[in-house]
Amino acid sequence: MPDTSTVVPLITGLGGAVIGAAAAVYVPMRQRRHQSRDEERAFHERILREEISRLTQLRTTGRAWFDVLLRAHQSLGAGLDVDLDRFDEEITKTSLGAASAGYQPPRPAEDPSREVENLSAEIFDELQDLSWEIRGRIVRGPGTGEGAPDFSRRIDRIKDLRAALNVRLLERIEQLSRQLSR
């Protein structure tokens, strides 16, 4: 009969070694899986926050550009001189800000499901065209020709487009915020 006093510690030692080896492999593997999941979640949250920030910036930069045009239009309508250099500087600053926020010139064959992008492209185009027209009027000066042209219908169209865009932006921001809070 074998001596159990030597076999039992041997079996216990081997069992402990197997359990220790399994734990040495399983625990780090499980930690990496959790870390990977946490990193993926953090990456997804960062993307959502960046998109919310971009959409918010899209609202504010479009408004800033529109305000520059509206002030120039009101000044021209009142027969006041508008400083061309200042106008150019403000338009450049606000249009570059709007372009970096996501206003893009219209692209051919746009996807109709991309309503925010389509509206922002249409607004960008309208703002750009109106900027050039108002600039042309500033260059001619307030006293030339038959008075200041009335850009009110164009301004109202841009207001309507911006209102529609703001509704879509707020819906999208709310949707992204819900995803973020999950």
Side-chain angles (χ1 to χ4, degrees), residues 27-143:
V27 170
M29 183 178 72
R30 188 173 168 107
Q31 286 175 336
R32 279 192 297 275
R33 190 175 337 152
H34 286 296
Q35 183 181 3
S36 175
R37 191 177 315 136
D38 291 344
E39 287 172 357
E40 185 177 323
R41 184 177 299 130
F43 176 74
H44 183 67
E45 286 179 8
R46 190 180 88 239
I47 296 296
L48 289 175
R49 289 181 198 284
E50 287 173 0
E51 180 65 6
I52 289 170
S53 175
R54 185 187 72 82
L55 294 172
T56 303
Q57 187 181 10
L58 189 60
R59 290 186 70 207
T60 58
T61 57
R63 180 64 195 188
W65 190 354
F66 181 71
D67 285 344
V68 170
L69 295 176
L70 193 57
R71 281 193 311 271
H73 170 67
Q74 291 168 346
S75 295
L76 289 172
L80 302 172
D81 283 332
V82 176
D83 182 5
L84 181 62
D85 292 333
R86 183 168 181 227
F87 177 80
D88 285 343
E89 181 182 311
E90 288 179 337
I91 289 297
T92 300
K93 179 181 173 186
T94 57
S95 64
L96 288 175
S100 71
Y103 278 99
Q104 298 296 324
R107 286 174 236 111
E110 294 181 56
D111 179 5
S113 67
R114 297 175 51 110
E115 195 169 2
V116 167
E117 290 78 7
N118 293 343
L119 276 170
S120 70
E122 190 173 350
I123 293 169
F124 183 93
D125 202 27
E126 291 285 333
L127 288 169
Q128 202 168 34
D129 288 347
L130 187 56
S131 296
W132 282 108
E133 288 182 35
I134 289 177
R135 186 182 192 286
R137 183 64 184 132
I138 293 170
V139 168
R140 285 191 302 276

